[in-house]
Amino acid sequence: MSEESLLERKYFDGIYIPAGLLVFGTVIVKKEWTLYAALAALVLGVIKYFRMLPKKVLKPAVFQEFELKEKTIISHNVAIYRFKLPTPDSVLGLPIGQHISIGAAIEQPDGSTKEIVRSYTPISGDHQPGYFDLLIKSYPTGNISKHMASLQVGQTIRVKGPKGAFVYTPNMVRHFGMVAGGTGITPMLQVIRAIVRGRAAGDRTEVDLIFANVTAQDILLKEDLDALVAQDKGIRVHYVLDRPPEGWTGGVGFVTQEMVEKLLPKPASDVKILLCGPPPMISGLKKATEALGFQKARPVSKLEDQVFAF
């Protein structure tokens, strides 16, 4: 918790003012008990403080149900789903860079039912209590994504977590190079937003992101990304399209080794490359980064890896 957050109105109303009144009243009524009143105010204040902390609801090994509160259609196959947490002060308790698992019993072509589990990274964070948002693109062959697209407000999903090997901490590296394809933007956006929020506390991390899509209409959360770039000179986004419109000035085609070399930071001990997107893209980028001098990426990434694939 930052120093600024301890000055929020709720702490004055719930802790500082009651504690002050207790001590002040004791001074007036029985001055010799002031020390005891101050100790009592301190103990009660600490208890109240911990009770006021956001309640983390995620459980790594247990699925819990969360109700769909709102559904915002972005395009014919993309939507943002807002799910309600148990109380207005509840948070998921999801570390920056990690994801959740969503499970559902999906009917199969033969009529049987099979439990399907898929991973998603929320585009909201624990600084936004009371709900969490998921950006999901539905695919014709996607079990969970089709299930999500069919959800109506008031229905529930089953969630557990946190999951994942990556956890962001401020200034863990000097410079991130990121490559995202399609909905692979979600963990990158989560990290970028955390960096920007942390500037006031001394986070100096720089980011160069290559964001690859098929058409301009496929660029998810472009307004959010552009706003972050405009707000923070340490954040740069480079768009790449496979089928660009006339007059397009960004990158064209697949993300190549040449693009990585030109747009992302050079190999160094304080540089990390983050990748998230379709498996063929990730496979090609692992080879490209190794050819450029980065440490060879493992089949399953670990936090300490120089090239990390979500």
Side-chain angles (χ1 to χ4, degrees):
M1 179 146 318
S2 66
E3 291 181 6
E4 289 79 12
S5 64
L6 289 174
L7 298 178
E8 290 179 11
R9 177 66 182 269
K10 64 179 180 180
Y11 292 116
F12 279 94
D13 292 345
I15 299 176
Y16 307 146
I17 293 175
L21 290 173
L22 174 60
V23 175
F24 182 69
T26 304
V27 170
I28 294 174
V29 176
K30 199 150 189 170
K31 189 175 182 180
E32 61 270 26
W33 286 11
T34 301
L35 177 61
Y36 300 107
L39 290 173
L42 178 62
V43 171
L44 293 171
V46 169
I47 293 172
K48 185 68 178 291
Y49 168 76
F50 281 105
R51 285 180 176 174
M52 291 173 71
L53 288 177
K55 307 297 186 295
K56 297 180 180 181
V57 301
L58 276 179
K59 297 178 181 178
V62 179
F63 277 110
Q64 300 177 83
E65 292 198 353
F66 298 98
E67 180 185 327
L68 180 62
K69 177 182 178 182
E70 188 179 323
K71 183 175 178 179
T72 303
I73 305 299
I74 305 299
S75 70
H76 70 284
N77 62 350
V78 178
I80 295 175
Y81 302 82
R82 174 162 293 185
F83 291 92
K84 185 167 62 174
L85 294 175
T87 72
D89 294 326
S90 297
V91 297
L92 274 180
L94 188 70
I96 301 298
Q98 297 211 306
H99 55 263
I100 58 175
S101 294
I102 296 178
I106 306 295
E107 186 174 343
Q108 302 301 298
D110 62 1
S112 63
T113 299
K114 183 179 180 181
E115 177 76 7
I116 305 293
V117 178
R118 293 290 183 268
S119 297
Y120 291 94
T121 302
I123 58 172
S124 56
D126 284 354
H127 62 293
Q128 300 163 295
Y131 66 90
F132 65 95
D133 290 341
L134 297 174
L135 174 76
I136 297 180
K137 184 174 184 177
S138 59
Y139 297 92
T141 57
N143 285 307
I144 294 293
S145 65
K146 280 200 302 183
H147 172 71
M148 294 292 292
S150 70
L151 284 180
Q152 302 298 316
V153 171
Q155 293 184 301
T156 61
I157 58 167
R158 296 167 57 238
V159 173
K160 68 178 179 180
K163 304 287 184 181
F166 184 85
V167 177
Y168 175 73
T169 53
N171 298 311
M172 63 187 295
V173 294
R174 172 180 56 85
H175 200 157
F176 278 120
M178 301 178 174
V179 186
T183 53
I185 191 62
T186 55
M188 309 304 186
L189 182 62
Q190 190 188 56
V191 172
I192 291 171
R193 282 175 168 166
I195 290 170
V196 173
R197 286 198 308 273
R199 292 300 194 207
D203 197 332
R204 301 177 301 278
T205 311
E206 291 196 43
V207 174
D208 276 280
L209 163 67
I210 298 175
F211 188 17
N213 289 277
V214 178
T215 69
Q217 289 71 36
D218 294 320
I219 303 176
L220 301 172
L221 302 169
K222 188 175 187 299
E223 289 185 3
D224 299 69
L225 290 167
D226 290 345
L228 288 165
V229 170
Q231 175 186 349
D232 193 304
K233 64 180 181 181
I235 310 297
R236 294 167 290 275
V237 178
H238 314 279
Y239 297 104
V240 175
L241 295 179
D242 189 37
R243 299 205 301 266
E246 187 176 346
W248 175 254
T249 58
V252 177
F254 297 115
V255 179
T256 63
Q257 181 176 318
E258 290 71 29
M259 288 182 189
V260 172
E261 184 175 27
K262 177 183 177 183
L263 302 173
L264 300 190
K266 303 295 184 284
S269 59
D270 55 359
V271 166
K272 188 184 285 286
I273 302 296
L274 303 181
L275 309 173
C276 191
M281 185 186 89
I282 300 304
S283 177
L285 287 169
K286 285 182 175 181
K287 294 174 184 175
T289 51
E290 184 181 2
L292 290 170
F294 290 94
Q295 295 171 9
K296 183 176 181 178
R298 305 186 215 214
V300 178
S301 297
K302 295 181 181 289
L303 178 61
E304 62 269 22
D305 292 354
Q306 190 176 37
V307 178
F308 185 98
F310 287 97

